[in-house]
Amino acid sequence: MSESPQAQQPEQSQQAQFTVEKIYLKDLSLEIPNAPQIFLQVENPQIEISVHTGAAVLDPAGMYEAVLTVTVTAKTADKTVFLVEAAQAGIFRILNLPPEEIDAVLGVLCPSTLLPYARETVASTLVRAGFPPVMLQHMSFDAAYQERLRQLQQAQAAPAATVN
């Protein structure tokens, strides 16, 4: 005798679930402080890229917001050519995972999902501003997440070591 689909549903509801509910651009900023003179320079600028991730609980029932913020700064000698900052965000449903695994999903899988969108936003914004696109390379969010965990463990161990 086979089980009805309703009898199988509780078992399926305990499976881990990861769903992208919405991807959106939370914030975008472009600064060209030395325009229009900066467009007359022929010197190639130095490019700096910084990446930050963050997450917040939207609903304790499994809804989270993850934000990947990318800042690209171009400078020549003593002048800023441009600064673009994009906060690419997403709403994710994460169900049936222990808290430590949810933290890993928010720190690794969510930013990895958002990166292609942030890459396109930064590149197209710079092109519209009159500059060549800066293409963000693939990033290992797993390595950054592991480093953050290591730093947290060290920070927690340090106060314990000083208490006698």
Side-chain angles (χ1 to χ4, degrees), residues 68-125:
L68 175 65
T69 304
V70 177
T71 305
V72 180
T73 307
K75 294 183 179 182
T76 59
D78 61 341
K79 291 186 179 177
T80 297
V81 177
F82 64 78
L83 183 143
V84 63
E85 183 172 84
Q88 192 70 54
I91 298 173
F92 300 91
R93 182 182 307 274
I94 305 168
L95 300 172
N96 303 321
L97 284 178
E100 64 275 6
E101 289 184 32
I102 289 175
D103 190 49
V105 168
L106 291 170
V108 178
L109 184 56
C110 293
S112 295
T113 301
L114 296 171
L115 180 61
Y117 297 93
R119 178 184 294 128
E120 192 280 328
T121 297
V122 168
S124 66
T125 299

Coordinates of all heavy atoms in Angstrom, one line a residue, residues 68-125:
L68 N 25.1 42.8 -0.1 CA 26.4 42.8 -0.6 C 26.8 44.2 -1.0 O 26.1 44.7 -2.0 CB 26.6 41.8 -1.8 CG 28.0 41.8 -2.4 CD1 29.0 41.3 -1.5 CD2 27.9 40.9 -3.7
T69 N 27.7 44.9 -0.3 CA 28.0 46.2 -0.7 C 29.4 46.3 -1.3 O 30.4 45.8 -0.7 CB 28.0 47.1 0.6 OG1 26.7 47.1 1.2 CG2 28.3 48.6 0.2
V70 N 29.5 46.8 -2.5 CA 30.7 46.9 -3.2 C 31.1 48.3 -3.4 O 30.2 49.1 -3.9 CB 30.6 46.2 -4.6 CG1 31.9 46.3 -5.4 CG2 30.2 44.7 -4.5
T71 N 32.3 48.7 -3.1 CA 32.8 50.1 -3.3 C 34.0 50.0 -4.2 O 34.9 49.3 -3.9 CB 33.2 50.7 -1.9 OG1 32.0 50.6 -1.0 CG2 33.6 52.2 -2.1
V72 N 33.9 50.8 -5.3 CA 35.0 50.9 -6.2 C 35.5 52.3 -6.3 O 34.7 53.2 -6.5 CB 34.6 50.4 -7.6 CG1 35.8 50.5 -8.6 CG2 34.0 49.0 -7.6
T73 N 36.8 52.5 -6.0 CA 37.3 53.9 -6.0 C 38.5 53.9 -7.0 O 39.3 53.0 -7.0 CB 37.9 54.2 -4.6 OG1 36.8 54.0 -3.6 CG2 38.3 55.7 -4.5
A74 N 38.5 54.9 -7.8 CA 39.6 55.1 -8.8 C 40.3 56.4 -8.4 O 39.6 57.5 -8.3 CB 39.0 55.1 -10.2
K75 N 41.6 56.4 -8.4 CA 42.4 57.6 -8.0 C 43.6 57.7 -9.0 O 44.2 56.7 -9.4 CB 42.9 57.5 -6.6 CG 41.8 57.6 -5.6 CD 42.4 57.6 -4.2 CE 41.3 57.7 -3.2 NZ 41.7 57.7 -1.8
T76 N 43.9 58.9 -9.3 CA 45.2 59.2 -10.0 C 46.0 60.2 -9.1 O 45.4 61.2 -8.7 CB 45.0 59.9 -11.4 OG1 44.2 61.1 -11.2 CG2 44.2 59.0 -12.3
A77 N 47.2 59.8 -8.8 CA 48.0 60.7 -7.9 C 47.3 61.2 -6.7 O 47.1 60.4 -5.8 CB 48.7 61.8 -8.8
D78 N 46.8 62.4 -6.8 CA 46.2 63.0 -5.6 C 44.7 63.3 -5.8 O 44.0 63.9 -5.0 CB 46.9 64.3 -5.3 CG 46.8 65.3 -6.4 OD1 46.6 64.9 -7.5 OD2 47.0 66.5 -6.1
K79 N 44.1 62.8 -6.9 CA 42.7 63.1 -7.3 C 41.9 61.8 -7.3 O 42.3 60.8 -7.9 CB 42.6 63.9 -8.6 CG 43.2 65.2 -8.5 CD 42.9 66.0 -9.8 CE 43.5 67.4 -9.7 NZ 43.3 68.1 -10.9
T80 N 40.7 62.0 -6.8 CA 39.7 60.9 -7.0 C 39.1 61.0 -8.4 O 38.5 62.1 -8.7 CB 38.6 60.9 -5.9 OG1 39.3 60.8 -4.6 CG2 37.6 59.9 -6.1
V81 N 39.1 60.0 -9.2 CA 38.5 59.9 -10.5 C 37.0 59.7 -10.3 O 36.2 60.4 -10.8 CB 39.2 58.9 -11.4 CG1 38.5 58.9 -12.8 CG2 40.6 59.2 -11.6
F82 N 36.7 58.6 -9.6 CA 35.3 58.3 -9.3 C 35.2 57.4 -8.1 O 36.2 56.7 -7.7 CB 34.6 57.6 -10.5 CG 35.1 56.3 -10.9 CD1 34.8 55.1 -10.1 CD2 35.9 56.1 -12.0 CE1 35.3 53.9 -10.5 CE2 36.4 54.9 -12.3 CZ 36.1 53.8 -11.6
L83 N 34.1 57.4 -7.5 CA 33.7 56.4 -6.4 C 32.3 56.0 -6.7 O 31.4 56.8 -6.8 CB 33.8 57.1 -5.1 CG 33.6 56.2 -3.8 CD1 34.5 56.6 -2.7 CD2 32.2 56.2 -3.4
V84 N 32.2 54.7 -6.8 CA 30.8 54.1 -6.9 C 30.6 53.1 -5.8 O 31.5 52.3 -5.5 CB 30.6 53.5 -8.3 CG1 31.5 52.3 -8.6 CG2 29.2 53.1 -8.5
E85 N 29.4 53.1 -5.2 CA 29.1 52.2 -4.2 C 27.7 51.6 -4.5 O 26.8 52.4 -4.6 CB 29.1 52.8 -2.8 CG 28.9 51.8 -1.7 CD 29.1 52.4 -0.3 OE1 28.2 53.1 0.2 OE2 30.2 52.2 0.2
A86 N 27.6 50.3 -4.5 CA 26.4 49.6 -4.8 C 26.1 48.6 -3.7 O 26.9 47.8 -3.3 CB 26.4 48.9 -6.1
A87 N 24.9 48.7 -3.1 CA 24.4 47.8 -2.1 C 23.3 46.9 -2.8 O 22.2 47.3 -2.9 CB 23.9 48.5 -0.9
Q88 N 23.8 45.8 -3.2 CA 22.9 44.8 -3.8 C 22.3 43.9 -2.8 O 23.0 43.4 -1.9 CB 23.7 44.0 -4.9 CG 22.8 43.1 -5.8 CD 22.0 44.0 -6.8 OE1 22.6 44.8 -7.5 NE2 20.7 43.8 -6.8
A89 N 21.0 43.8 -2.7 CA 20.3 43.1 -1.6 C 19.4 42.0 -2.2 O 19.0 42.0 -3.3 CB 19.6 44.0 -0.7
G90 N 19.0 41.1 -1.3 CA 18.1 40.1 -1.6 C 17.3 39.6 -0.4 O 17.8 39.8 0.7
I91 N 16.1 39.2 -0.6 CA 15.3 38.5 0.4 C 15.3 37.1 0.2 O 15.0 36.6 -1.0 CB 13.9 39.1 0.4 CG1 13.9 40.6 0.7 CG2 13.0 38.4 1.5 CD1 12.5 41.3 0.6
F92 N 15.7 36.3 1.2 CA 15.9 34.9 1.0 C 15.1 34.1 2.1 O 15.0 34.6 3.2 CB 17.4 34.5 1.2 CG 18.3 35.1 0.2 CD1 18.9 36.4 0.5 CD2 18.5 34.5 -1.0 CE1 19.7 37.0 -0.4 CE2 19.4 35.1 -1.9 CZ 20.0 36.4 -1.6
R93 N 14.5 33.0 1.7 CA 13.8 32.2 2.6 C 14.7 31.0 2.9 O 15.1 30.3 2.0 CB 12.4 31.7 2.1 CG 11.6 30.8 3.0 CD 10.3 30.3 2.4 NE 9.5 31.4 1.9 CZ 8.6 32.1 2.5 NH1 8.5 31.9 3.8 NH2 7.9 33.1 2.0
I94 N 15.0 30.8 4.2 CA 15.9 29.7 4.6 C 15.1 28.9 5.7 O 14.9 29.5 6.8 CB 17.2 30.2 5.1 CG1 17.9 31.1 4.1 CG2 18.1 29.1 5.5 CD1 19.1 31.9 4.6
L95 N 14.8 27.7 5.4 CA 14.0 26.9 6.4 C 14.8 25.6 6.7 O 15.5 25.0 5.9 CB 12.7 26.6 5.8 CG 11.8 27.7 5.4 CD1 10.6 27.3 4.6 CD2 11.4 28.5 6.6
N96 N 14.5 25.1 8.0 CA 14.9 23.8 8.4 C 16.4 23.6 8.5 O 16.9 22.6 8.1 CB 14.2 22.7 7.6 CG 12.7 22.8 7.7 OD1 12.1 23.2 8.7 ND2 12.1 22.6 6.5
L97 N 17.1 24.7 8.9 CA 18.6 24.6 9.1 C 18.9 25.0 10.5 O 18.3 25.9 11.0 CB 19.3 25.5 8.1 CG 19.4 25.1 6.7 CD1 20.1 26.1 5.9 CD2 20.2 23.8 6.5
P98 N 19.9 24.4 11.1 CA 20.4 24.8 12.4 C 21.0 26.2 12.3 O 21.5 26.6 11.2 CB 21.4 23.8 12.8 CG 21.6 22.9 11.7 CD 20.6 23.2 10.6
P99 N 21.0 27.0 13.4 CA 21.5 28.4 13.3 C 22.9 28.6 12.7 O 23.1 29.5 12.0 CB 21.4 28.9 14.8 CG 20.4 28.0 15.4 CD 20.5 26.7 14.7
E100 N 23.8 27.7 13.1 CA 25.2 27.8 12.5 C 25.2 27.6 11.0 O 26.0 28.2 10.3 CB 26.1 26.9 13.2 CG 25.9 25.4 13.1 CD 24.9 24.8 14.0 OE1 24.3 25.5 14.8 OE2 24.7 23.6 14.0
E101 N 24.3 26.8 10.5 CA 24.2 26.6 9.1 C 23.5 27.8 8.4 O 23.9 28.2 7.3 CB 23.6 25.3 8.7 CG 24.4 24.1 9.0 CD 23.8 22.8 8.6 OE1 23.1 22.8 7.6 OE2 24.0 21.8 9.3
I102 N 22.6 28.4 9.0 CA 21.9 29.6 8.5 C 22.9 30.7 8.4 O 23.0 31.4 7.4 CB 20.7 30.0 9.4 CG1 19.6 29.0 9.2 CG2 20.2 31.4 9.0 CD1 18.4 29.2 10.1
D103 N 23.8 30.9 9.4 CA 24.8 31.9 9.3 C 25.7 31.7 8.2 O 26.1 32.6 7.5 CB 25.6 31.9 10.7 CG 26.5 33.1 10.8 OD1 26.0 34.2 10.5 OD2 27.7 32.9 11.1
A104 N 26.1 30.4 7.9 CA 27.0 30.1 6.8 C 26.3 30.4 5.4 O 26.9 30.9 4.5 CB 27.4 28.6 6.8
V105 N 25.0 30.1 5.3 CA 24.2 30.4 4.1 C 24.2 31.9 3.9 O 24.4 32.4 2.8 CB 22.8 29.8 4.2 CG1 21.9 30.3 3.1 CG2 22.9 28.3 4.1
L106 N 23.9 32.6 4.9 CA 23.9 34.1 4.8 C 25.2 34.7 4.5 O 25.3 35.7 3.9 CB 23.3 34.7 6.1 CG 21.8 34.4 6.4 CD1 21.5 34.9 7.8 CD2 21.0 35.1 5.3
G107 N 26.3 34.1 5.0 CA 27.7 34.6 4.8 C 28.3 34.1 3.5 O 29.3 34.7 3.0
V108 N 27.8 33.0 2.9 CA 28.5 32.5 1.7 C 27.5 32.4 0.5 O 27.8 33.0 -0.5 CB 29.1 31.1 2.0 CG1 29.7 30.5 0.8 CG2 30.1 31.1 3.2
L109 N 26.5 31.7 0.6 CA 25.6 31.4 -0.5 C 24.8 32.7 -0.9 O 24.7 33.0 -2.1 CB 24.6 30.3 -0.2 CG 23.6 29.9 -1.3 CD1 24.4 29.5 -2.5 CD2 22.7 28.8 -0.8
C110 N 24.3 33.5 0.0 CA 23.6 34.7 -0.3 C 24.5 35.7 -1.1 O 24.1 36.2 -2.1 CB 22.9 35.3 0.9 SG 21.6 34.3 1.5
P111 N 25.7 36.0 -0.5 CA 26.5 37.0 -1.3 C 27.0 36.4 -2.6 O 27.1 37.2 -3.6 CB 27.7 37.2 -0.4 CG 27.3 36.7 1.0 CD 26.2 35.7 0.8
S112 N 27.2 35.1 -2.7 CA 27.5 34.5 -4.0 C 26.4 34.7 -5.0 O 26.6 34.9 -6.2 CB 27.9 33.1 -3.9 OG 29.0 32.9 -3.1
T113 N 25.2 34.6 -4.5 CA 24.0 34.8 -5.4 C 23.9 36.3 -5.8 O 23.5 36.6 -7.0 CB 22.7 34.4 -4.6 OG1 22.8 33.0 -4.2 CG2 21.5 34.6 -5.5
L114 N 24.2 37.2 -5.0 CA 24.1 38.6 -5.2 C 25.2 39.2 -6.1 O 25.1 40.2 -6.8 CB 24.0 39.4 -3.9 CG 22.8 39.1 -3.1 CD1 23.0 39.8 -1.7 CD2 21.5 39.6 -3.7
L115 N 26.4 38.5 -6.1 CA 27.6 39.1 -6.8 C 27.4 39.4 -8.3 O 27.7 40.5 -8.7 CB 28.8 38.2 -6.6 CG 30.1 38.6 -7.3 CD1 30.5 40.0 -6.7 CD2 31.2 37.6 -7.1
P116 N 26.8 38.5 -9.1 CA 26.6 38.8 -10.5 C 25.7 40.1 -10.7 O 26.0 40.9 -11.6 CB 25.9 37.6 -11.1 CG 26.2 36.5 -10.1 CD 26.3 37.1 -8.8
Y117 N 24.8 40.3 -9.8 CA 23.9 41.5 -9.9 C 24.7 42.8 -9.6 O 24.6 43.8 -10.2 CB 22.7 41.4 -9.0 CG 21.8 40.2 -9.4 CD1 21.9 39.0 -8.8 CD2 20.8 40.4 -10.4 CE1 21.1 37.9 -9.2 CE2 20.0 39.4 -10.7 CZ 20.1 38.1 -10.2 OH 19.3 37.1 -10.5
A118 N 25.5 42.7 -8.5 CA 26.4 43.8 -8.1 C 27.4 44.1 -9.2 O 27.7 45.3 -9.5 CB 27.1 43.5 -6.8
R119 N 28.0 43.0 -9.8 CA 28.9 43.2 -10.9 C 28.3 44.0 -12.1 O 28.9 44.9 -12.6 CB 29.4 41.8 -11.4 CG 30.4 41.9 -12.6 CD 30.7 40.5 -13.1 NE 31.4 39.7 -12.0 CZ 31.1 38.5 -11.6 NH1 30.0 37.9 -12.1 NH2 31.8 37.9 -10.7
E120 N 27.1 43.6 -12.4 CA 26.4 44.3 -13.6 C 26.1 45.7 -13.2 O 26.3 46.7 -14.0 CB 25.2 43.5 -13.9 CG 24.5 44.0 -15.3 CD 23.7 45.3 -15.1 OE1 23.1 45.5 -14.1 OE2 23.7 46.0 -16.1
T121 N 25.7 46.0 -12.0 CA 25.3 47.3 -11.5 C 26.5 48.2 -11.5 O 26.4 49.4 -12.1 CB 24.7 47.3 -10.1 OG1 23.5 46.5 -10.1 CG2 24.4 48.7 -9.5
V122 N 27.6 47.8 -11.0 CA 28.9 48.6 -11.0 C 29.3 48.9 -12.4 O 29.6 50.0 -12.8 CB 30.0 47.9 -10.1 CG1 31.3 48.6 -10.4 CG2 29.6 47.9 -8.7
A123 N 29.4 47.9 -13.2 CA 29.9 48.0 -14.6 C 29.0 49.0 -15.4 O 29.5 49.9 -16.1 CB 30.0 46.7 -15.3
S124 N 27.7 48.8 -15.3 CA 26.8 49.7 -16.1 C 26.7 51.1 -15.6 O 26.6 52.0 -16.4 CB 25.4 49.1 -16.2 OG 24.8 49.0 -15.0
T125 N 26.9 51.3 -14.3 CA 26.9 52.6 -13.7 C 28.1 53.4 -14.2 O 28.0 54.5 -14.6 CB 26.9 52.5 -12.2 OG1 25.7 51.9 -11.8 CG2 27.0 53.9 -11.6

